[in-house]
Structure formats: C-alpha cells, structure tokens
Amino acid sequence: MRIAVTGAAGFIGQAFSRHALAAGAQVHGIDKLTYAANPVTVAELEAQPGFTLHRADIAEPAAMRDLIRRIAPQAVIHLAAETHVDRSIDHTAPFVATNIVGTHSLLEAALDYCRALSPAEKAQFRFLHVSTDEVYGALGAEDSAFAETSVFAPNSPYAASKASAEHLARAWHHTYGLPVMIGNCSNNYGPYQFPEKLIPNMILKALHGEPLPVYGHGKHVRDWLYVDDHAEALWLILTRGKIGEKYHIGGKAETANLALVETICAMLDAAMPGSSHRPHRNLINFVADRPGHDFRYAMNIAKIERELGWRPKTSMEDGLQRTLDWYLARRDWWQGIRDSYAGERLGLGR
C-alpha cells in the first residue's frame, strides 16, 4: 500500500508512519515542518526504507493537487494540524489556516485525484481524517463518555477548527462520494511528543527543578491514549474500516491532571534517587486556569472494539514509564527544543 500521510513529522504522524512502514507500506510524508517538527525525528524517518518526505503546506491547493497526483496514493491519512489549545487561544489564525483551509485544500486534491482513477483503483482508495474528542466539548463528572453520535459543542478555537475540519470531511463523503473515514482520538502521549504538551513538559521541567504549573486545582480529567496504540487503531481503520463511518479511539485511562503530575513526580523520584529536586511533587505550582478550560473528556470505544477488534494494549502505568524512560534517554532529541524556546511559555498541555 502506498500511503500519503499529512503531518508525518509530527507526534502522531511519525508514530503512524513507523507502524505503516513496519506493516510493509510505502509512506509518503507531507509536512510543512513547522516548529513542532523535530529535525531528529525527520532524520530518523528519512533513514527508513520506504519513507519519502515531501515538504509542503496542505493549505496551498495547487501544490496539494500536484503532490497527490505525483504520489498516486492508495490512501491518504490526514494528521496535519495545529493542535495546542494554549496556542489557539493566543493566536487563532494558524488554526483556521491549517485545520480548516488546509483540510479543505486536501479534500479537494483527494477528490480531484480520486475522480481520475479507474473503477478498480477508486474502489480501493481511502481518505482517513483524524479528529479529536474535543469537538464534543466538555463532560461533567457523571456524564457518559462521548459516543460517535454525540453532538458537537467545541469550546476552544482549536476544538472549533477541528470540528470544522471534521464537518468538511463528512460533507465531502456525503456530497461528492469521497471514500472518507474518521477517527476521533483522546489525548495522546508517548515518545517524540513536543514538550509544550502536558506530560513531556512536566518531565522536562521536573528534571531541571523548575516549577510544574498545573491549571486551577488540577481536577480536569483527560482520557490518555498511548501513541503506538493509536497508530495501530488508525491502521485498522484504514485497512478494515467501513467507508463513511467514524470510530472513537481512547485509552480507557481517565486521569485528573494533578494525579497525573503527581504520578510523574513519583516515577522521577524512583528513577533519580540522587536528584537534588526530590521529592519532585514539591515543584507543583497551581496557576490561574485558562479560558474555557473543558472539565472532562472520555471516549466510548465500544464501536471500534466490536467492529475492528481494537482495544488499547498499553496501561497508563506502563505507558508513562516507557515515556519517562525515553525522555531520560533521549536528551539529543529534546535539548535543542529546550534551548530554542528558553524563556517562552511552552504551555501546559491540552
């Protein structure tokens, strides 16, 4: 299978690309290589047989039409997006440009390409759009988890841009017959995640003895999904999912932010008994909550379990330990980012 992967140099994109390559696919990565694309990650991907990187902006229609035509993929998986809620609150324009305009541009390019295929080729072609749990808004403490039929109610500029993108993908299937499938995921974590996100941010700040900023009282709840489990789910949707359907992908690991940070601190205490910053939980610092902060997300994954036989393999404890060990071992990956963003607020995660 020849696959075009937008956002291939990003966190989830690189994980999916590695998974697809291991499954024998040819992967053509499409990436603008913004601030979140680490050169170390790019070099590792480009060193793998079967991977080709195309530096391009999905929001440029002519470039996308030409590139999709040249790649001639049997599938497109759309992961390219601006994803950080804090950044979307401070600067909305990049989220509109990439997540909405870029999705429209890519859908048009895919539709133009698909229309030129033979009937047999058209029957095999797939477009997998990757969305998020945040399109549904916030849950209360006792509310049932989001289902595929839940009503959209995005509360942040990021969430609104992803909701718009998902609406476009759905419309291009129902109006034009583009063979679209959709996957909505919960919060991802794992190796190679940019340090503005909650888990790597806490790990690296704690390593350096810096305050660990936690929004509000730390009671906000997220469902955490190990990135390699997500990559496996996306592969199953791409290869076995039904056209026109959407599938929820979650980790079954709802955790309050404060509890998560305290767990990371305890793991660091155990991993670094000689650290002058122990106990690391003393570094926790409560800060003013961000505007419109959703209280809780949770995903009902019964559909993907039932139809595709997928369920998360990685427990939160195991996934966090793997993630911590990776960041402790891979200073070569994150030190340049820390140096580049010294003095800038990297954010506090989704």
Side-chain angles (χ1 to χ4, degrees):
M1 181 183 289
R2 188 166 52 256
I3 308 173
V5 181
T6 72
F11 172 47
I12 301 172
Q14 62 81 29
F16 176 81
S17 294
R18 295 174 198 272
H19 187 94
L21 289 167
Q26 297 178 24
V27 176
H28 286 260
I30 301 172
D31 204 292
K32 190 179 178 181
L33 299 183
T34 65
Y35 75 95
N38 190 311
V40 179
T41 304
V42 173
E44 290 180 4
L45 287 171
E46 290 191 300
Q48 297 201 45
F51 183 87
T52 303
L53 181 66
H54 306 268
R55 184 169 187 172
D57 184 351
I58 61 169
E60 296 179 357
M64 280 302 100
R65 284 196 300 271
D66 178 65
L67 186 54
I68 294 298
R69 195 178 299 116
R70 285 191 288 114
I71 294 172
Q74 291 151 323
V76 174
I77 177 166
H78 180 31
L79 284 152
E82 292 283 348
T83 66
H84 192 46
V85 173
D86 287 356
R87 287 181 181 270
S88 82
I89 293 170
D90 294 339
H91 304 287
T92 59
F95 290 77
V96 173
T98 298
N99 299 358
I100 302 176
V101 177
T103 297
H104 172 262
S105 171
L106 187 64
L107 287 166
E108 286 286 86
L111 181 61
D112 182 67
Y113 167 74
C114 189
R115 283 171 168 167
L117 295 175
S118 69
E121 292 170 330
K122 191 175 297 185
Q124 293 182 337
F125 183 72
R126 299 290 185 272
F127 186 107
L128 174 53
H129 176 77
V130 181
S131 191
T132 172
D133 53 7
E134 295 198 43
V135 298
Y136 302 114
L139 291 171
E142 304 301 323
D143 290 337
S144 299
F146 296 129
E148 284 83 358
T149 55
S150 293
V151 175
F152 280 24
N155 290 321
S156 71
Y158 160 68
S161 70
K162 288 296 289 184
S164 299
E166 186 175 335
H167 282 314
L168 288 173
R170 184 178 187 276
W172 259 243
H173 168 65
H174 285 276
T175 301
Y176 304 111
L178 188 68
V180 169
M181 298 176 292
I182 297 170
N184 295 73
C185 68
S186 60
N187 276 35
N188 279 223
Y189 72 101
Y192 295 96
Q193 189 170 31
F194 193 78
E196 69 185 354
K197 298 292 188 165
L198 178 59
I199 290 175
N201 197 17
M202 295 299 107
I203 292 172
L204 299 186
K205 284 183 180 295
L207 280 177
H208 291 81
E210 299 172 4
L212 306 181
V214 175
Y215 278 135
H217 298 290
K219 303 300 183 184
H220 300 88
V221 175
R222 299 293 181 263
D223 174 23
W224 292 94
L225 171 65
Y226 193 66
V227 69
D228 289 345
D229 289 348
H230 187 195
E232 180 185 43
L234 292 174
W235 179 257
L236 284 173
I237 296 171
L238 191 67
T239 56
R240 293 171 46 196
K242 296 178 182 178
I243 292 173
E245 294 293 325
K246 68 183 295 186
Y247 300 88
H248 279 185
I249 311 164
K252 288 190 172 182
E254 288 188 60
T255 309
N257 287 346
L258 178 59
L260 174 61
V261 175
E262 289 175 336
T263 299
I264 291 170
C265 289
M267 287 181 166
L268 278 168
D269 290 347
M272 306 178 68
S275 172
S276 61
H277 308 306
R278 294 176 78 246
H280 290 87
R281 66 176 296 155
N282 288 347
L283 298 171
I284 294 173
N285 178 42
F286 294 101
V287 298
D289 210 352
R290 72 179 175 210
H293 197 173
D294 290 337
F295 173 67
R296 172 178 168 245
Y297 306 135
M299 298 292 269
N300 182 326
I301 63 170
K303 180 176 179 177
I304 194 170
E305 287 182 315
R306 180 179 66 252
E307 295 189 7
L308 302 182
W310 179 88
R311 57 186 55 83
K313 295 178 179 177
T314 309
S315 69
M316 189 68 178
E317 181 180 7
D318 186 33
L320 273 180
Q321 190 65 60
R322 288 192 219 173
T323 303
L324 175 64
D325 292 345
W326 188 88
Y327 280 95
L328 291 177
R330 291 299 307 269
R331 180 179 288 269
D332 66 300
W333 187 87
W334 54 258
Q335 188 63 61
I337 299 172
R338 293 264 313 173
D339 294 343
S340 297
Y341 288 89
E344 178 181 327
R345 181 186 70 155
L346 281 177
L348 308 179
R350 281 214 288 138

